[in-house]
Short mmCIF file of all heavy atoms in Angstrom, two decimals:
data_model
loop_
_atom_site.label_atom_id
_atom_site.label_comp_id
_atom_site.label_asym_id
_atom_site.label_seq_id
_atom_site.Cartn_x
_atom_site.Cartn_y
_atom_site.Cartn_z
N GLY A 1 0.84 -1.19 0.00
CA GLY A 1 0.00 0.00 0.00
C GLY A 1 0.87 1.23 0.00
O GLY A 1 0.91 1.98 -0.96
N HIS A 2 1.59 1.43 1.09
CA HIS A 2 2.54 2.54 1.17
C HIS A 2 3.64 2.35 0.13
O HIS A 2 3.97 3.26 -0.63
CB HIS A 2 3.12 2.61 2.57
CG HIS A 2 4.07 3.75 2.80
ND1 HIS A 2 3.67 5.07 2.79
CD2 HIS A 2 5.40 3.77 3.06
CE1 HIS A 2 4.72 5.85 3.01
NE2 HIS A 2 5.78 5.07 3.19
N THR A 3 4.21 1.15 0.12
CA THR A 3 5.07 0.71 -0.98
C THR A 3 4.56 -0.65 -1.45
O THR A 3 3.74 -1.28 -0.77
CB THR A 3 6.56 0.58 -0.57
OG1 THR A 3 6.69 -0.48 0.38
CG2 THR A 3 7.08 1.89 0.01
N ALA A 4 5.07 -1.10 -2.59
CA ALA A 4 4.56 -2.35 -3.16
C ALA A 4 4.93 -3.57 -2.33
O ALA A 4 4.18 -4.55 -2.29
CB ALA A 4 5.09 -2.51 -4.58
N GLY A 5 6.09 -3.52 -1.66
CA GLY A 5 6.56 -4.70 -0.95
C GLY A 5 6.62 -4.55 0.56
O GLY A 5 7.27 -5.35 1.24
N HIS A 6 5.95 -3.57 1.12
CA HIS A 6 6.00 -3.30 2.56
C HIS A 6 5.60 -4.52 3.37
O HIS A 6 4.67 -5.24 3.02
CB HIS A 6 5.04 -2.14 2.87
CG HIS A 6 5.27 -1.48 4.20
ND1 HIS A 6 5.13 -2.14 5.40
CD2 HIS A 6 5.61 -0.20 4.51
CE1 HIS A 6 5.39 -1.29 6.39
NE2 HIS A 6 5.68 -0.11 5.87
N VAL A 7 6.33 -4.77 4.46
CA VAL A 7 5.98 -5.85 5.39
C VAL A 7 5.94 -5.31 6.82
O VAL A 7 6.54 -4.27 7.13
CB VAL A 7 6.96 -7.04 5.33
CG1 VAL A 7 6.98 -7.67 3.95
CG2 VAL A 7 8.36 -6.65 5.79
N CYS A 8 5.23 -6.03 7.67
CA CYS A 8 5.23 -5.77 9.11
C CYS A 8 5.72 -7.01 9.83
O CYS A 8 5.70 -8.11 9.27
CB CYS A 8 3.82 -5.42 9.60
SG CYS A 8 3.08 -3.97 8.85
N TYR A 9 6.16 -6.81 11.06
CA TYR A 9 6.66 -7.92 11.87
C TYR A 9 5.88 -7.96 13.19
O TYR A 9 5.80 -6.96 13.90
CB TYR A 9 8.15 -7.73 12.18
CG TYR A 9 9.03 -7.64 10.96
CD1 TYR A 9 9.27 -6.42 10.33
CD2 TYR A 9 9.63 -8.78 10.42
CE1 TYR A 9 10.08 -6.32 9.21
CE2 TYR A 9 10.45 -8.69 9.30
CZ TYR A 9 10.67 -7.46 8.70
OH TYR A 9 11.47 -7.36 7.59
N PHE A 10 5.33 -9.14 13.52
CA PHE A 10 4.53 -9.27 14.73
C PHE A 10 5.06 -10.38 15.62
O PHE A 10 5.22 -11.52 15.20
CB PHE A 10 3.07 -9.57 14.38
CG PHE A 10 2.19 -9.79 15.59
CD1 PHE A 10 1.94 -8.77 16.48
CD2 PHE A 10 1.63 -11.04 15.82
CE1 PHE A 10 1.14 -8.97 17.60
CE2 PHE A 10 0.83 -11.27 16.93
CZ PHE A 10 0.58 -10.22 17.82
N SER A 11 5.36 -10.00 16.86
CA SER A 11 5.67 -10.96 17.91
C SER A 11 4.91 -10.48 19.14
O SER A 11 5.27 -9.44 19.73
CB SER A 11 7.17 -11.04 18.19
OG SER A 11 7.45 -11.97 19.22
N ASP A 12 3.86 -11.16 19.48
CA ASP A 12 2.94 -10.73 20.52
C ASP A 12 3.67 -10.25 21.78
O ASP A 12 4.48 -10.98 22.33
CB ASP A 12 2.04 -11.92 20.88
CG ASP A 12 0.79 -11.52 21.64
OD1 ASP A 12 0.67 -10.34 22.01
OD2 ASP A 12 -0.05 -12.40 21.89
N PRO A 13 3.46 -8.96 22.19
CA PRO A 13 2.44 -8.02 21.73
C PRO A 13 2.95 -6.98 20.73
O PRO A 13 2.22 -6.03 20.43
CB PRO A 13 2.05 -7.32 23.02
CG PRO A 13 3.36 -7.20 23.76
CD PRO A 13 4.11 -8.48 23.44
N TYR A 14 4.16 -7.14 20.22
CA TYR A 14 4.78 -6.06 19.45
C TYR A 14 4.48 -6.18 17.96
O TYR A 14 4.71 -7.22 17.35
CB TYR A 14 6.31 -6.08 19.63
CG TYR A 14 6.74 -6.11 21.07
CD1 TYR A 14 7.21 -7.29 21.65
CD2 TYR A 14 6.68 -4.96 21.87
CE1 TYR A 14 7.61 -7.33 22.97
CE2 TYR A 14 7.08 -4.99 23.20
CZ TYR A 14 7.54 -6.18 23.75
OH TYR A 14 7.93 -6.23 25.05
N LEU A 15 3.99 -5.09 17.36
CA LEU A 15 3.84 -5.01 15.92
C LEU A 15 4.70 -3.86 15.41
O LEU A 15 4.44 -2.70 15.73
CB LEU A 15 2.38 -4.76 15.51
CG LEU A 15 2.18 -4.60 13.99
CD1 LEU A 15 2.34 -5.95 13.28
CD2 LEU A 15 0.83 -3.98 13.66
N PHE A 16 5.70 -4.20 14.62
CA PHE A 16 6.52 -3.18 13.98
C PHE A 16 5.98 -2.99 12.57
O PHE A 16 6.17 -3.83 11.69
CB PHE A 16 7.99 -3.61 13.97
CG PHE A 16 8.55 -3.79 15.37
CD1 PHE A 16 8.87 -5.05 15.85
CD2 PHE A 16 8.71 -2.69 16.20
CE1 PHE A 16 9.37 -5.20 17.14
CE2 PHE A 16 9.21 -2.84 17.50
CZ PHE A 16 9.54 -4.10 17.96
N CYS A 17 5.25 -1.89 12.39
CA CYS A 17 4.43 -1.76 11.18
C CYS A 17 4.90 -0.63 10.26
O CYS A 17 4.17 -0.27 9.32
CB CYS A 17 2.97 -1.55 11.56
SG CYS A 17 2.65 -0.17 12.68
N GLY A 18 6.10 -0.10 10.47
CA GLY A 18 6.66 0.87 9.53
C GLY A 18 5.71 2.01 9.25
O GLY A 18 5.26 2.70 10.17
N ASP A 19 5.35 2.18 7.98
CA ASP A 19 4.46 3.27 7.57
C ASP A 19 3.10 2.75 7.09
O ASP A 19 2.43 3.41 6.30
CB ASP A 19 5.11 4.09 6.45
CG ASP A 19 6.25 4.96 6.95
OD1 ASP A 19 6.48 5.02 8.17
OD2 ASP A 19 6.93 5.58 6.11
N THR A 20 2.70 1.58 7.55
CA THR A 20 1.38 1.07 7.16
C THR A 20 0.29 1.68 8.04
O THR A 20 -0.64 2.31 7.54
CB THR A 20 1.34 -0.47 7.23
OG1 THR A 20 2.25 -1.00 6.28
CG2 THR A 20 -0.06 -0.99 6.91
N LEU A 21 0.41 1.51 9.33
CA LEU A 21 -0.58 2.05 10.28
C LEU A 21 0.11 3.04 11.20
O LEU A 21 1.20 2.77 11.72
CB LEU A 21 -1.19 0.92 11.11
CG LEU A 21 -2.25 1.33 12.13
CD1 LEU A 21 -3.52 1.80 11.43
CD2 LEU A 21 -2.56 0.16 13.07
N PHE A 22 -0.52 4.19 11.40
CA PHE A 22 -0.09 5.17 12.39
C PHE A 22 -1.18 5.31 13.44
O PHE A 22 -2.31 4.86 13.23
CB PHE A 22 0.16 6.54 11.74
CG PHE A 22 1.23 6.53 10.68
CD1 PHE A 22 0.95 6.96 9.39
CD2 PHE A 22 2.51 6.08 10.96
CE1 PHE A 22 1.92 6.96 8.41
CE2 PHE A 22 3.49 6.06 9.98
CZ PHE A 22 3.19 6.50 8.70
N SER A 23 -0.86 5.94 14.54
CA SER A 23 -1.92 6.22 15.50
C SER A 23 -2.84 7.27 14.91
O SER A 23 -2.44 8.39 14.61
CB SER A 23 -1.34 6.71 16.83
OG SER A 23 -2.38 6.88 17.77
N GLY A 24 -4.08 6.89 14.69
CA GLY A 24 -5.06 7.79 14.10
C GLY A 24 -4.98 7.90 12.59
O GLY A 24 -5.72 8.68 11.99
N GLY A 25 -4.10 7.14 11.95
CA GLY A 25 -3.94 7.30 10.50
C GLY A 25 -3.32 6.08 9.85
O GLY A 25 -3.16 5.02 10.47
N CYS A 26 -2.95 6.24 8.58
CA CYS A 26 -2.25 5.18 7.85
C CYS A 26 -1.33 5.84 6.84
O CYS A 26 -1.39 7.06 6.63
CB CYS A 26 -3.24 4.24 7.15
SG CYS A 26 -4.04 4.94 5.69
#
């Protein structure tokens, strides 16, 4: 979405989501 190949990393409870989701935005 933000870029074509963007990924996120999740290890409960941490989500490192780069520029996909922001607080109150995306």
Side-chain angles (χ1 to χ4, degrees):
H2 182 67
T3 66
H6 197 298
V7 299
C8 300
Y9 301 88
F10 177 65
S11 180
D12 196 354
Y14 309 104
L15 177 72
F16 298 111
C17 55
D19 287 354
T20 296
L21 181 69
F22 299 123
S23 185
C26 73

